[in-house]
Amino acid sequence: SFVAPTVQTDTYVAGWEAVSFSASGRISDWPRLAAELEQEHRRAYLLGFTEDELSLAKASLLNSYEQATRTAPTRRSESMAALIAGSLLYGGVLVAPADVQRELAPVVEATTVAECTAAFREAWTSAPPHVLVTAHSSFPSSATVVGGILNASRALPVKLRVPPGDVKFAYHYFGATGQIEKD
């Protein structure tokens, strides 16, 4: 019921690290979304990641490095200005996408499931997780109701992810060949 699941670590303020686990979904299906996110977070923490999950993550990261390198010459001035301002504001260093790709692609390719699982667990052990719900003002709930949904999910056992097996491309027939009506 959710799309674009993301786990990230950010340092918004020097000395403070924020680890987040998020996803998007339909507001009308939020109880299911919240329960599924809780289950996925707990599954990753308790059972770790699979080779398939890591392969997908690696492919996505490597593709993002490639695309950033390829499109670097066409970045807009306002995007560059925002990057420069961000590095000045937060004390970072501006790095060319080609350098990022050259330095990080080999590290990503060599990363193992065990390393990812250990890093995920370490990120989530320094403090108990907090829940932040960001939604439209019409969100039909309260902290008590959200907590109840999450606690009900926490009472359920975590299930091992079952690989989908061979997945066939769903769009193999596009209809009969058309006729040119007018040229």
Side-chain angles (χ1 to χ4, degrees):
S1 67
F2 58 85
V3 295
T6 304
V7 177
Q8 65 186 39
T9 302
D10 288 306
T11 306
Y12 298 109
V13 178
W16 288 40
E17 186 175 80
V19 181
S20 63
F21 180 74
S22 62
S24 297
R26 288 193 166 137
I27 196 167
S28 61
D29 203 21
W30 76 264
R32 183 172 155 201
L33 170 69
E36 286 179 6
L37 282 177
E38 186 283 323
Q39 288 281 311
E40 285 300 314
H41 179 269
R42 200 156 36 103
R43 183 189 62 78
Y45 188 88
L46 296 174
L47 305 176
F49 299 104
T50 66
E51 287 292 340
D52 287 343
E53 289 169 326
L54 180 58
S55 293
L56 285 171
K58 284 181 176 184
S60 178
L61 273 172
L62 294 171
N63 182 56
S64 71
Y65 298 155
E66 176 64 33
Q67 296 307 315
T69 298
R70 187 180 61 76
T71 60
T74 62
R75 289 186 287 183
R76 298 180 53 91
S77 297
E78 57 268 23
S79 296
M80 290 302 299
L83 287 172
I84 293 168
S87 68
L88 291 171
L89 183 63
Y90 299 111
V93 176
L94 201 57
V95 182
D99 293 334
V100 171
Q101 183 180 21
R102 185 182 68 252
E103 295 291 324
L104 294 183
V107 175
V108 168
E109 289 170 348
T111 300
T112 67
V113 168
E115 291 169 329
C116 290
T117 299
F120 187 85
R121 288 175 178 156
E122 182 181 333
W124 291 96
T125 56
S126 64
H130 299 277
V131 176
L132 170 67
V133 177
T134 54
H136 187 272
S137 61
S138 65
F139 182 64
S141 196
S142 67
T144 304
V145 174
V146 171
I149 296 290
L150 293 174
N151 286 334
S153 177
R154 287 182 184 118
L156 300 173
V158 176
K159 296 177 184 172
L160 191 61
R161 180 176 299 285
V162 178
D166 289 338
V167 178
K168 292 189 168 74
F169 186 66
Y171 305 100
H172 61 291
Y173 179 71
F174 297 98
T177 304
Q179 300 289 332
I180 297 175
E181 293 289 322
K182 185 176 180 182
D183 190 354

